[in-house]
Amino acid sequence: MLGQYLSSREYGDILARGRAQRTPWLDLAPSTLQTAYNRRPFLVRHQLASHPLFGLDELFALCRRLPREQMLVRMGRIPGDATFETSYEKYRQGMHLEDVLERFEELGSYLCINNPERDASYRPLIEGLLGEVAAQTEPLDPTMSWYSSYVFISAQDSVTPYHMDREMNFLLQVRGQKTVYLWDQDDDEIMSAEQKDHLLARVGLKPPYHPSFESKAASYALEPGTGVHHPFIAPHRVHTGPQLSVSLALTFRTRQSDMWTDAHRFNARMRRLGLRPHPIGRNRLVDHAKCGIARVGQRVHRMLASHEDAA
């Protein structure tokens, strides 16, 4: 499984590391976080372009150290409205990882390194960056419960198709240029309440892209030393520029986003019963109640499953 769940102790260690960092890699303006974090995208600045672990030789060496299943590869030009979930398989073209690394730009390759923090050389850096994020977001959105990081290496003119993730994200550009298109997660035309319920309950495919959405996109031009914050489940699409691109995504969940997720799961269950529940986000107390009921149901389901296995 991608990512890592954090115990209270592990989160405390990450938070303490971020608070103790004397020379931060990330420049997160408290005033911007206060008004925009998890509400709308915003640009950030960072110093990772000078970090030696983000050189191409070091990253390709990381690829050779990590298990093959942590690499996702695509090749060639991909349409922006392609289905994200199937794009890696459809556009892999049967190439082996070593061939891709040797002929990366020639093949027009796109490589996603899942969880570089599982490598001993990269883990202190990734968790240090998460600590810097936590030190700033703790007053607004306390306690990270899970995190996962990704390094994206893209040949020129590549596309990451339209999709949305079930967490928050800081996407940091290290090399080359990238344009990120983000859509308002609270726009009912972009994602209806029912689509959000199904997305977070993992029912069916993710909400699809429609050409009518294009005029509603906010675009962010990234270059080395800049990044953009993605709010929870914000739809996005990414285009690289004319040179090879390297970027790092720090994705994470918190107690608050876990509550939203479970409340949406409750709503999805009600919809399967033919009911029409009120959308999540309208009433915090009701959302908490739905979350609590969903979690009780999950515990009962696990308890019954364990009894059946033991019988």
Side-chain angles (χ1 to χ4, degrees), residues 218-236:
S219 65
Y220 297 85
L222 303 186
E223 58 186 19
T226 62
V228 63
H229 167 61
H230 296 50
F232 182 64
I233 69 171
H236 52 282

Side-chain angles (χ1 to χ4, degrees), residues 110-129:
Y110 175 99
L111 173 64
C112 173
I113 306 173
N114 292 319
N115 306 125
E117 69 274 3
R118 293 182 182 174
D119 183 84
S121 297
Y122 282 79
R123 189 179 190 91
L125 170 63
I126 298 299
E127 291 199 342
L129 294 170

Side-chain angles (χ1 to χ4, degrees), residues 3 113-117 126 130 147-151 248-251:
I113 306 173
N114 292 319
N115 306 125
E117 69 274 3
I126 298 299
L130 283 164
Y147 80 87
S148 189
S149 70
Y150 310 89
V151 174
L248 170 69
L250 300 172
T251 72

Side-chain angles (χ1 to χ4, degrees), residues 238-255:
V238 182
H239 296 244
T240 63
Q243 297 96 26
L244 184 141
S245 166
V246 175
S247 55
L248 170 69
L250 300 172
T251 72
F252 58 96
R253 302 173 194 158
T254 62
R255 287 181 179 173

Side-chain angles (χ1 to χ4, degrees), residues 6 29 36 41 46 55 63 77 106 113-114 149 162 169 180-181 212 247 249 256 295 302-303:
L6 294 171
H46 63 86
C63 292
R77 298 209 170 179
E106 174 191 343
I113 306 173
N114 292 319
S149 70
Y162 176 92
N169 179 12
V180 181
Y181 298 90
S212 62
S247 55
Q256 175 69 59
R295 290 178 180 177
R302 287 194 295 268
M303 182 181 66

Side-chain angles (χ1 to χ4, degrees), residues 80-142:
D81 59 354
T83 302
F84 177 78
E85 289 79 1
T86 60
S87 62
Y88 289 104
E89 184 64 30
K90 183 175 181 180
Y91 294 95
R92 191 176 63 190
Q93 300 179 18
M95 297 293 293
H96 295 291
L97 178 63
E98 191 59 39
D99 295 329
V100 172
L101 298 181
E102 291 292 337
R103 303 165 55 202
F104 195 87
E105 292 192 79
E106 174 191 343
L107 294 170
S109 304
Y110 175 99
L111 173 64
C112 173
I113 306 173
N114 292 319
N115 306 125
E117 69 274 3
R118 293 182 182 174
D119 183 84
S121 297
Y122 282 79
R123 189 179 190 91
L125 170 63
I126 298 299
E127 291 199 342
L129 294 170
L130 283 164
E132 292 185 33
V133 172
Q136 296 295 329
T137 59
E138 172 70 12
L140 309 170
D141 188 16

